[in-house]
Amino acid sequence: NVFSILVFVISFVFGLYPGSEEGWQVYSTASDPDGRCVCTVVAPARNLCKRDPRSRQLRLLTEQVQNVSQSMEVVDLRTSRDLQYVRDSEPLVRGVDGRLHTYVANPRSLTAKGLQELKGQMSQLRPLLSVVEQYRLDLQTLATLRLELLNLSIILTAIQEEIGAYDYEELQQRVLLLETRLHSCMNKLGCGRLTSVSSPITVRASGSRFGSWMTDAMIPSSDSRVWSMDGYYKGRRVLEYRTMGDFTKGQNFVQHLLPHPWAGTGHVVYNGSLYYNKHQSNILVQYHFRSRSVLLQRSLSGAGYNNTFPYSWGGSSDIDLMADEMGLWAVYTSIPNAGNIMVSRLDPRSLDVLQSWDTGFPKRSAGEAFMICGTLYVTNSHLAGAKVHFAYHTNTSTYEYTDIPFHNQALYTWNNGHQVIYNVTLFHVIRSDG
């Protein structure tokens, strides 16, 4: 039942949702400038609807409808104006018509003066010819528009039968609105408290009883590399796998040979570097994977080593290095603080201790410990029936006792040659201001 822990990383939607090529965006866990954790969220891509060829067809149809509408507005405006002109000309037409009937019935009644007046009235009616001609042209235009509207109606009916009666523009606006609300909620989402740990999901079975496997807590979601370190005593061989799938199958890896051997299993990969405890010392080492070189070595002052203050399972687990949303941490103890667990936040660039907390919890009574959102969670045993028994909150320098069932491992773990992963449930308090 002895086991060991690597690095503790919250993983909410790992491996459950489709990738960006299928029209979804996956937002990874990270921290904002104020140190608040931002959870992984899945949302439709902004241009999801725009990529659909049917959307382009609908857009073209919409433009056609707009063109038809504008043409009809022009015809309507011109018709209203010309109709008023015809109405104004009606008395003049009736007068001319009456005079013509009189002259036809009695030709001798037509005088030179009457003829001149008739010519003047006819001159006033001459613009009616162009109005009538425009009417004829408008009738042709209306016939064309009628045919075009008929074609549009047929196409729209076919599209509706194919995809249903959905308004793509409306759907896209709803998606954008929901995404805006989602980001607003994420901005208000603070780090939560651990409320439960799921049953383990075995990723792989390989290696010895002790070891570590981990991902980088600071790399973008597109980088899915996995690192594996077998054993807890004097190991130097680190395997880097291209993806989680490769790690599961044990293929496509490169080997890093560390210049200094490690002690324990409390290693962490953080922003492209491996941080680990140097064998038989309290020295912390930063090994950079890309340059394949040691960038830093620094002693963790007063920290016990070489099984002086391990967890209850032993395994040279004196010094644990961890990463969470708040940064890089060291969990250890020393003689001056009577073997109680110490938590120190480290500067990853210099390995200087930025701040330290004495939790008051005896390390030899702990099965394991892990950090989430600046809170140290401690299990009461490494055996069956273990629970998350104690929590220390660094933001308030306070502690509390908890009672969360814990199936012998935590989050990303190495258990008797099995690499397993856990889902965790956090309780969040959402600020209501604004």
Side-chain angles (χ1 to χ4, degrees):
N1 292 321
V2 178
F3 67 95
S4 58
I5 309 296
L6 80 133
V7 59
F8 308 99
V9 180
I10 303 176
S11 180
F12 290 102
V13 294
F14 171 61
L16 298 179
Y17 297 102
S20 58
E21 71 278 359
E22 294 172 317
W24 294 85
Q25 291 176 337
V26 181
Y27 301 91
S28 62
T29 53
S31 59
D32 64 15
D34 297 325
R36 297 171 299 183
C37 61
V38 180
C39 300
T40 302
V41 180
V42 179
R46 285 181 174 272
N47 58 352
L48 173 61
C49 294
K50 292 180 181 177
R51 287 202 303 265
D52 196 317
R54 291 172 299 189
S55 176
R56 180 176 179 273
Q57 190 176 15
L58 284 173
R59 188 171 63 253
L60 293 175
L61 289 173
T62 302
E63 292 175 357
Q64 286 181 271
V65 171
Q66 291 175 345
N67 292 337
V68 170
S69 299
Q70 291 174 356
S71 298
M72 294 186 73
E73 288 178 4
V74 171
V75 172
D76 182 65
L77 178 63
R78 191 164 55 230
T79 300
S80 299
R81 182 196 60 201
D82 292 346
L83 181 59
Q84 186 60 45
Y85 179 80
V86 171
R87 286 174 176 169
D88 293 341
S89 303
E90 184 179 1
L92 185 59
V93 172
R94 290 186 181 277
V96 171
D97 182 65
R99 284 198 172 199
L100 288 175
H101 275 86
T102 300
Y103 296 150
V104 169
N106 185 11
R108 292 182 179 181
S109 63
L110 180 62
T111 63
K113 181 180 179 181
L115 181 61
Q116 190 65 31
E117 291 176 353
L118 184 60
K119 287 182 178 180
Q121 291 176 331
M122 292 296 297
S123 176
Q124 295 177 32
L125 291 176
R126 191 172 291 114
L128 279 176
L129 294 176
S130 61
V131 171
V132 172
E133 177 64 21
Q134 188 63 59
Y135 270 160
R136 186 180 65 81
L137 295 176
D138 284 349
L139 285 174
Q140 295 176 357
T141 301
L142 288 172
T144 302
L145 293 176
R146 189 181 301 111
L147 180 60
E148 191 169 349
L149 285 173
L150 178 61
N151 293 335
L152 287 173
S153 178
I154 294 173
I155 295 173
L156 287 171
T157 300
I159 293 177
Q160 185 174 358
E161 290 176 353
E162 179 183 357
I163 65 174
Y166 293 107
D167 185 336
Y168 263 53
E169 293 297 326
E170 180 184 354
L171 286 177
Q172 187 174 1
Q173 290 302 317
R174 290 176 62 186
V175 167
L176 295 178
L177 177 60
L178 288 173
E179 187 174 324
T180 300
R181 291 174 59 190
L182 175 63
H183 282 287
S184 176
C185 180
M186 288 171 62
N187 290 334
K188 293 182 178 181
L189 184 61
C191 284
R193 292 189 177 187
L194 182 69
T195 59
S196 67
V197 180
S198 75
S199 297
I201 302 168
T202 299
V203 175
R204 184 185 178 191
S206 68
S208 62
R209 292 181 64 195
F210 309 98
S212 303
W213 71 282
M214 65 208 82
T215 58
D216 192 331
M218 285 290 288
I219 59 176
S221 58
S222 58
D223 189 339
S224 56
R225 288 177 293 170
V226 176
W227 290 267
S228 175
M229 301 166 67
D230 194 358
Y232 74 91
Y233 185 75
K234 297 177 66 174
R236 295 177 58 195
R237 184 169 174 259
V238 182
L239 300 183
E240 177 184 309
Y241 294 86
R242 184 173 55 87
T243 65
M244 183 69 74
D246 290 338
F247 172 67
T248 302
K249 299 173 184 176
Q251 64 185 23
N252 293 332
F253 64 85
V254 295
Q255 176 176 287
H256 299 269
L257 193 62
L258 301 177
H260 309 294
W262 70 69
T265 58
H267 327 302
V268 63
V269 176
Y270 187 80
N271 198 25
S273 291
L274 171 70
Y275 294 84
Y276 70 96
N277 176 208
K278 186 177 179 180
H279 174 61
Q280 291 188 330
S281 74
N282 60 8
I283 294 175
L284 307 181
V285 179
Q286 179 189 6
Y287 175 83
H288 190 245
F289 285 115
R290 179 170 293 181
S291 64
R292 294 178 175 263
S293 62
V294 171
L295 299 185
L296 277 175
Q297 292 190 69
R298 185 175 291 275
S299 174
L300 188 58
S301 179
Y305 61 93
N306 202 27
N307 264 342
T308 302
F309 298 110
Y311 292 111
S312 59
W313 66 274
S316 296
S317 55
D318 300 79
I319 300 175
D320 261 352
L321 293 167
M322 306 178 185
D324 70 355
E325 294 77 7
M326 315 300 278
L328 184 65
W329 304 87
V331 176
Y332 61 100
T333 191
S334 64
I335 293 176
N337 69 320
N340 293 332
I341 295 179
M342 292 285 297
V343 180
S344 293
R345 188 178 179 192
L346 306 178
D347 183 341
R349 295 166 295 183
S350 64
L351 289 178
D352 289 337
V353 173
L354 302 176
Q355 190 174 357
S356 294
W357 296 263
D358 185 345
T359 68
F361 194 95
K363 192 164 188 282
R364 285 188 176 274
S365 299
E368 263 295 353
F370 53 92
M371 298 289 299
I372 297 179
C373 294
T375 295
L376 178 76
Y377 294 94
V378 182
T379 68
N380 61 354
S381 174
H382 64 279
L383 303 174
K387 294 183 177 182
V388 178
H389 175 68
F390 178 84
Y392 188 89
H393 309 289
T394 60
N395 61 332
T396 58
S397 299
T398 60
Y399 68 89
E400 63 179 314
Y401 289 96
T402 59
D403 186 30
I404 303 172
F406 188 77
H407 307 277
N408 276 4
Q409 301 96 356
L411 311 184
Y412 283 47
T413 72
W414 186 300
N415 180 42
N416 285 333
H418 291 74
Q419 292 76 56
V420 299
I421 191 171
Y422 288 74
N423 290 320
V424 300
T425 302
L426 300 179
F427 175 76
H428 297 274
V429 177
I430 308 297
R431 298 198 311 271
S432 61
D433 55 296

